Amino acid sequence: MHAIAVASLLVCGPDVVRAQAAVAAAAESSDTQTVVVTANKRKQPAADVAGTVSVIQGSALEANGVADQEGAFKLTPGVQVNKGDPGRNVPAIRGIGTNANTLTLGFQQSTTGIYIEDVPMTDPFAFMNAADVAPFDLERMEVLRGPQGALYGSSSLGGAVRYLLAEPELQAQAFSVLASGSRVVGGGTDHAIYLMGNQPLAKGVAGVRVMAFDRVDAGWIKNLGTQAERANRSHTSGARLSGLAKPNRSLTISANVMHQRNQLDDTMAVAPDPRQLTASNPTASTRRSTLDFANVTIDAELGSHTLTSITGYWRKENDSHSDVTRLFDPAFRPSGIVLPAYVADEASNSDMVSQEIRLASSQQGPLRYLVGALISRTRFELDGPIRAVGAVDAGLGALFPNDVLGLQTGTARMSENALFFDGDFDLTPAWTVGLGGRAYSTKTNYNIAFLSNLPSNAPFRSPSLSEDGFTPKATLRHKFGAHQWYALVSQGYRFGGVNFRSQTPYKSDKLTNYETGVRLLPSKDLRVDATVFLLDWKNVQVTTLNGGFLDTSNVGAAKSKGLELSVGWRATPSFSVDLAAAFIDAKTTVAYDGPAGKVPSGSRLPGSARTQVTLAPSYSFAGPAGTSGRVSSVISQIGARNFDIAGSGSAPGYTTMDLRLSLARDAWELTLFANNATDQRGVVGALADAAYPYRDYFLVRPRTVGVSLRWDH
């Protein structure tokens, strides 16, 4: 049903989740060296990777009912989703981030790199969406902790998340259908259907694979302003088409095309009380977003080397109607201007083209290496009015013609060029040293204007900014018996830019990571991985609201130190339990002036919990009527967090429990599930800034109970 090829789904780090067949698979193979990853952009056994790479197989995502990033990151302690509306998450790894919400991020690049295959998806300028790929029929997800600037470029300050799509199977047809329905406490009924079809075109030579899905998540928040029950209904759908051709033994060509869209009826935020499932906005905050993706990868075997070409393209579109009455209305009350609502209508889009070429040696011999180059070009467009609803009817047409307060409009173009290398050399059979690095140049050129009807405001236009630099990486590994110790030093960076109001530049910030870890295999049934790290972040970009505009400055410095622990134990052939934990202390190390006063040294970085623990027990059994059964649970504990670097918004910790019972027979599998079974009101994200007059809270979904049925052929 859900075969897993390897026993350990975690290379080194705190997440191991097994699908239904994992117990049986573990009995056959428990050696972590059989796990093959591509975190270093070449196929390597897990034991040859110096660093913390968490691997979640696609079958494990499906077996645990994961539908989006929030569900996936719950399986990877140390990664905070910092939830927003669909596609608007701001993930943070190892506590690295200064903003936990897209509205306070401004034009900054986020600190976590998102990749589909090897195509960079993180916006270099003006956040569009977090590329929340539907996890059905994925090959796997890889979460690379620590800065990945050497191989993955900008934005991967805290780490990178890679989505690896399932390739076509060239030997046989395959077909899968998964349908589910569920009920959310205080809300409506969810339903989803997922389809996959695989067809060889020429056996062993070429094939195609198609995946399509449609998912409706019922609303469970009441908008007291519009009186809409279950206002936050969300509809997500999409499709992927993959092709694979191997015309001869030395040439492989693969291609993917993907389209995914989401329609949100109203915001996912509750306010002002996170314990209540209510909001109060005069109008509904609707959002429509789409993501289109395509890539072509060509691998050519040239003797003892492989030449790889990766061509990537994506386009993101957002069309939103955001109720911002709580932000604008108080600003005008002193003047006696009280209007029914203020709304920001925004149409934005961005697209990127990238080309990567690299040459990698074989994995045989004492020296293994790759060299490569990347070029990427990104374009961004923004257009939309901010409307003062009812201004003309109130006799304020001279100040707000056609109810328009102002217009935000503009374009931007960004580029990144890089040369990179990475290699390992075996000093002895037990000791291996590695070196890598990336020389890069970035350029940002944009023309953004806020055209206001108010006489105190005027258009703002920004000059371009060009930067270059180098991010190194060095590793040392030592094997002793079945165990391994490693040490790693690496750097990451992200784009700089120019504030469009003040025209002052903010430069690229860099982060240096020092980490060491051990992978211990006391027996074939027990694995213990432990990592300690120290991240030193200099010249930190911090964005604050200043006079109604978001300004970014290099005013900060911070450090994050912590411990990641993972224990996987197969107690019996039928019972396994995995414990994963992260303990993170991420704080500023210098004081700086914020919008509400001085932010002291020692302030916690936003969206980062000190502790995060996941416990995942699983038990397989012989069920009734010739079925095979599995009962499993994912228990996740998240510690308290701040959502503003100045500490003005915080949330307590919480614990959730997901339960699943599956019965499988022949090609069929029936699953009963209860997500957030104890119905916790955990805060997963928030809009909290000292300069904002309100707080929005994004919660764990209330208890959701349902059933799914799967058929595989």
Side-chain angles (χ1 to χ4, degrees):
M1 295 294 292
H2 301 298
I4 293 185
V6 297
S8 176
L9 304 183
L10 181 66
V11 177
C12 180
D15 53 277
V16 178
V17 182
R18 293 176 173 85
Q20 181 166 342
V23 174
E28 299 176 4
S29 173
S30 62
D31 186 352
T32 60
Q33 296 197 34
T34 63
V35 183
V36 176
V37 298
T38 55
N40 284 340
K41 297 198 173 187
R42 60 190 191 274
K43 291 183 178 180
Q44 293 177 284
D48 288 350
V49 177
T52 308
V53 183
S54 302
V55 181
I56 315 175
Q57 300 289 4
S59 52
L61 294 168
E62 295 174 14
N64 284 276
V66 172
D68 52 24
Q69 280 182 349
E70 182 180 356
F73 291 158
K74 182 165 57 177
L75 306 177
T76 57
V79 182
Q80 300 289 329
V81 67
N82 289 326
K83 182 178 177 179
D85 287 338
R88 308 290 286 178
N89 303 330
V90 187
I93 300 177
R94 290 181 171 174
I96 297 304
T98 56
N99 301 89
N101 187 279
T102 57
L103 292 181
T104 60
L105 192 63
F107 291 141
Q108 275 182 288
Q109 188 176 40
S110 61
T111 57
T112 297
I114 305 292
Y115 295 80
I116 301 178
E117 298 291 320
D118 281 324
V119 178
M121 302 296 295
T122 305
D123 306 290
F125 172 89
F127 184 97
M128 288 288 292
N129 71 49
D132 193 349
V133 178
F136 183 80
D137 202 44
L138 283 181
E139 174 64 27
R140 65 184 183 274
M141 286 180 65
E142 294 182 355
V143 179
L144 289 66
R145 289 176 170 80
Q148 302 294 323
L151 288 179
Y152 289 93
S154 65
S155 87
S156 56
L157 281 173
V161 177
R162 300 179 68 216
Y163 292 92
L164 287 306
L165 308 179
E167 289 187 339
E169 159 54 45
L170 303 185
Q171 298 296 327
Q173 290 181 327
F175 189 73
S176 297
V177 180
L178 173 64
S180 67
S182 57
R183 184 80 176 182
V184 58
V185 168
T189 301
D190 306 333
H191 56 85
I193 185 166
Y194 299 85
L195 305 171
M196 184 280 293
N198 185 93
Q199 177 64 52
L201 301 178
K203 192 171 183 178
V205 177
V208 295
R209 192 179 189 96
V210 179
M211 188 283 286
F213 76 99
D214 189 89
R215 188 179 89 239
V216 173
D217 296 323
W220 40 271
I221 296 174
K222 181 177 181 179
N223 188 337
L224 301 176
T226 63
Q227 291 300 305
E229 303 279 354
R230 306 169 185 172
N232 59 319
R233 178 182 180 272
S234 176
H235 182 195
T236 308
S237 59
R240 294 198 293 264
L241 173 64
S242 301
L244 178 65
K246 296 183 177 181
N248 55 58
R249 296 184 62 181
S250 61
L251 182 63
T252 300
I253 304 171
S254 62
N256 299 281
V257 178
M258 181 179 74
H259 173 76
Q260 189 167 306
R261 60 183 177 271
N262 174 266
Q263 176 68 50
L264 180 65
D265 292 349
D266 204 346
T267 179
M268 298 293 293
V270 301
D273 186 352
R275 296 167 298 180
Q276 302 295 322
L277 303 183
T278 60
S280 183
N281 301 312
T283 63
S285 294
T286 62
R287 181 181 299 277
R288 181 188 62 83
S289 61
T290 62
L291 170 64
D292 291 289
F293 169 84
N295 79 311
V296 176
T297 301
I298 302 173
D299 289 310
E301 303 293 336
L302 306 175
S304 60
H305 291 76
T306 300
L307 180 65
T308 299
S309 169
I310 302 170
T311 305
Y313 168 81
W314 54 253
R315 179 177 175 84
K316 304 175 183 179
E317 296 183 358
N318 283 324
D319 189 355
S320 63
H321 169 101
S322 301
D323 191 299
V324 293
T325 305
R326 292 171 297 159
L327 178 62
F328 278 83
D329 190 38
F332 293 107
R333 284 189 185 276
S335 302
I337 301 175
V338 180
L339 297 173
Y342 294 89
V343 298
D345 293 327
E346 178 183 308
S348 57
N349 65 80
S350 64
D351 52 14
M352 187 214 65
V353 177
S354 65
Q355 177 64 52
E356 181 174 319
I357 296 177
R358 59 181 185 248
L359 182 69
S361 69
S362 72
Q363 293 301 298
Q364 307 300 318
L367 177 63
R368 302 165 298 276
Y369 61 88
L370 71 81
V371 293
L374 169 78
I375 60 172
S376 69
R377 301 292 183 267
T378 308
R379 180 195 56 81
F380 169 81
E381 291 182 346
L382 168 69
D383 187 43
I386 298 178
R387 295 186 291 113
V389 178
V392 173
D393 292 340
L396 301 172
L399 189 59
F400 306 114
N402 299 318
D403 285 358
V404 174
L405 167 66
L407 176 68
Q408 47 188 345
T409 182
T411 61
R413 296 183 183 277
M414 291 69 63
S415 66
E416 182 171 10
N417 302 320
L419 298 173
F420 57 87
F421 69 94
D422 185 71
D424 295 321
F425 180 72
D426 295 331
L427 299 173
T428 70
W431 289 91
T432 299
V433 64
L435 290 174
R438 187 183 195 92
Y440 67 89
S441 65
T442 63
K443 185 174 182 179
T444 304
N445 188 345
Y446 57 94
N447 181 7
I448 304 293
F450 180 79
L451 306 176
S452 173
N453 298 314
L454 300 180
S456 59
N457 289 286
F460 303 116
R461 304 181 187 280
S462 298
S464 63
L465 176 73
S466 299
E467 294 185 286
D468 54 64
F470 180 78
T471 52
K473 171 186 172 185
T475 63
L476 182 65
R477 290 188 293 117
H478 176 57
K479 296 179 181 179
F480 51 105
H483 318 299
Q484 179 176 273
W485 165 85
Y486 78 91
L488 166 68
V489 179
S490 60
Q491 280 192 344
Y493 67 97
R494 60 176 166 172
F495 268 72
V498 181
N499 291 297
F500 73 88
R501 183 189 188 193
S502 63
Q503 299 192 9
T504 57
Y506 55 93
K507 296 182 178 181
S508 171
D509 50 357
K510 283 189 177 181
L511 183 148
T512 303
N513 171 50
Y514 308 91
E515 79 175 71
T516 183
V518 292
R519 301 171 187 149
L520 306 176
L521 292 170
S523 73
K524 64 183 181 66
D525 298 320
L526 179 63
R527 175 194 42 77
V528 180
D529 300 327
T531 302
V532 293
F533 61 86
L534 171 64
L535 306 179
D536 189 8
W537 195 1
K538 300 293 187 183
N539 214 30
V540 178
Q541 298 174 8
V542 177
T543 297
T544 58
L545 188 67
N546 182 12
F549 294 90
L550 291 167
D551 284 339
T552 302
S553 303
N554 298 99
V555 297
K559 287 186 178 180
S560 176
K561 54 188 177 182
L563 166 69
E564 296 163 346
L565 176 68
S566 173
V567 179
W569 179 41
R570 191 179 71 241
T572 72
S574 298
F575 177 71
S576 66
V577 60
D578 300 302
L579 172 67
F583 307 92
I584 299 172
D585 184 22
K587 295 179 179 178
T588 61
T589 56
V590 299
Y592 70 93
D593 292 326
K598 187 168 288 295
V599 177
S601 174
S603 299
R604 289 177 57 189
L605 296 184
S608 171
R610 294 182 187 274
T611 61
Q612 186 178 354
V613 181
T614 296
L615 181 68
S618 174
Y619 177 70
S620 297
F621 59 93
T627 62
S628 60
R630 175 178 178 259
V631 60
S632 64
S633 176
V634 175
I635 303 167
S636 179
Q637 186 275 331
I638 307 292
R641 286 134 297 133
N642 289 336
F643 288 100
D644 169 36
I645 197 169
S648 61
S650 62
Y654 63 92
T655 301
T656 60
M657 176 187 295
D658 298 340
L659 304 172
R660 301 183 70 82
L661 170 63
S662 299
L663 295 173
R665 180 176 177 180
D666 299 327
W668 295 90
E669 182 182 60
L670 177 70
T671 300
L672 305 177
F673 60 87
N675 295 332
N676 190 12
T678 56
D679 198 28
Q680 295 295 299
R681 294 289 182 267
V683 177
V684 194
L687 171 60
D689 190 286
Y692 281 78
Y694 62 90
R695 302 285 182 270
D696 278 347
Y697 299 95
F698 297 86
L699 306 181
V700 176
R701 207 162 192 263
R703 181 192 302 119
T704 303
V705 179
V707 59
S708 69
L709 182 64
R710 178 171 181 141
W711 179 71
D712 295 298
H713 174 68

